[in-house]
Amino acid sequence: DTEVTQTPKHLVMGMTNKKSLKCEQHMGHRAMYWYKQKAKKPPELMFVYSYEKLSINESVPSRFSPECPNSSLLNLHLHALQPEDSALYLCASSPTGSMTYEQYFGPGTRLTVT
Amino acid sequence: ELKVEQNPLFLSMQEGKNYTIYCNYSTTSDRLYWYRQDPGKSLESLFVLLSNGAVKQEGRLMASLDTKARLSTLHITAAVHDLSATYFCAVNYGGSQGNLIFGKGTKLSVKP
């Protein structure tokens, strides 16, 4: 299995809702990432988990809460989002201890906040 | 602070022509990546370049890395319509997890 899966593909939520994005990989990668990508912009790193521990938080607002329950699964919990948070949310994973640390991206969740 | 600059940001080509996309970065890095993104889709890894002088080729695309000049190029040979997409270079920073800083992307449009 050489892919990263993300659910849901699309999500529309109101500013008072609570929702979660899910990411899964079965490649044995021990580093997992969340990126945010606005239209016509490059991806921006949000969080990095290494061996199920949060290693990088790129000053992301607390309304985004990541969770890594095990080595294959990464969640992003959303609460009280703003319309400007509407974007494509990409999950990625990479092997640790390799030469390339190449990141494999999932298909993304397109989030719309109304 | 690591900065990654791509140019051009937009590229309109005719089929059959050759062109080069440039990626400059501001501080030392040991890994450079090229990704392709189709509209509304995720990122597809094209190349990983690890060392000075590295050159990799896949089909009509060839990527190279000059770490001394902090420059990578993505050369397109005899472009075809299927190559139309946005191409990002990305440079790692901050250690072994491969945390990436992306360039702004080059939107390539290949016209018949």
Side-chain angles (χ1 to χ4, degrees):
Chain A
D1 190 350
T2 58
E3 65 173 0
V4 177
T5 59
Q6 289 186 244
T7 54
K9 290 185 179 179
H10 300 276
L11 179 62
V12 180
M13 59 185 291
M15 290 190 285
T16 58
N17 292 157
K18 286 185 179 181
K19 297 286 185 183
S20 297
L21 310 185
K22 179 181 173 181
C23 172
E24 200 161 5
Q25 57 88 15
H26 296 285
M27 294 179 279
H29 294 170
R30 301 305 295 274
M32 296 185 76
Y33 311 77
W34 281 115
Y35 288 87
K36 174 182 177 179
Q37 186 179 26
K38 301 281 279 183
K40 302 186 190 302
K41 298 290 186 183
E44 293 179 347
L45 183 67
M46 299 175 72
F47 302 104
V48 180
Y49 273 84
S50 179
Y51 292 91
E52 295 90 68
K53 291 185 179 178
L54 183 65
S55 60
I56 292 180
N57 175 343
E58 291 285 357
S59 303
V60 179
S62 60
R63 56 186 184 269
F64 295 91
S65 176
E67 179 195 20
C68 189
N70 60 58
S71 60
S72 300
L73 189 57
L74 185 66
N75 298 319
L76 186 63
H77 303 296
L78 313 172
H79 173 56
L81 294 192
Q82 304 296 310
E84 60 264 28
D85 296 322
S86 298
L88 180 67
Y89 287 84
L90 294 164
C91 172
S93 70
S94 69
T96 52
S98 79
M99 284 289 291
T100 67
Y101 297 99
E102 184 175 0
Q103 292 188 22
Y104 296 81
F105 284 81
T109 294
R110 187 159 300 280
L111 173 67
T112 303
V113 181
T114 60
Chain B
E1 181 189 350
L2 176 59
K3 293 184 179 179
V4 181
E5 293 186 353
Q6 273 183 251
N7 68 84
L9 298 182
F10 298 94
L11 180 54
S12 181
M13 297 176 65
Q14 283 198 309
E15 281 192 329
K17 298 293 187 182
N18 305 332
Y19 211 85
T20 301
I21 300 170
Y22 297 88
C23 176
N24 288 91
Y25 53 99
S26 58
T27 61
T28 302
S29 176
D30 56 2
R31 292 189 292 280
L32 189 136
Y33 306 82
W34 284 97
Y35 286 90
R36 168 181 172 149
Q37 188 174 37
D38 291 293
K41 304 292 185 181
S42 188
L43 280 80
E44 175 191 354
S45 179
L46 296 174
F47 301 108
V48 182
L49 302 170
L50 299 179
S51 59
N52 190 43
V55 176
K56 291 196 173 180
Q57 183 163 5
E58 181 73 33
R60 301 174 187 275
L61 301 178
M62 183 173 70
S64 66
L65 179 62
D66 181 344
T67 56
K68 293 180 181 177
R70 297 176 187 159
L71 171 69
S72 179
T73 60
L74 181 66
H75 186 73
I76 303 156
T77 301
V80 293
H81 179 69
D82 285 352
L83 290 179
S84 297
T86 297
Y87 293 84
F88 291 99
C89 66
V91 177
N92 85 296
Y93 78 102
S96 61
Q97 286 102 342
N99 310 329
L100 300 181
I101 293 285
F102 285 81
K104 290 185 176 181
T106 296
K107 185 173 182 180
L108 173 65
S109 176
V110 181
K111 302 179 187 300

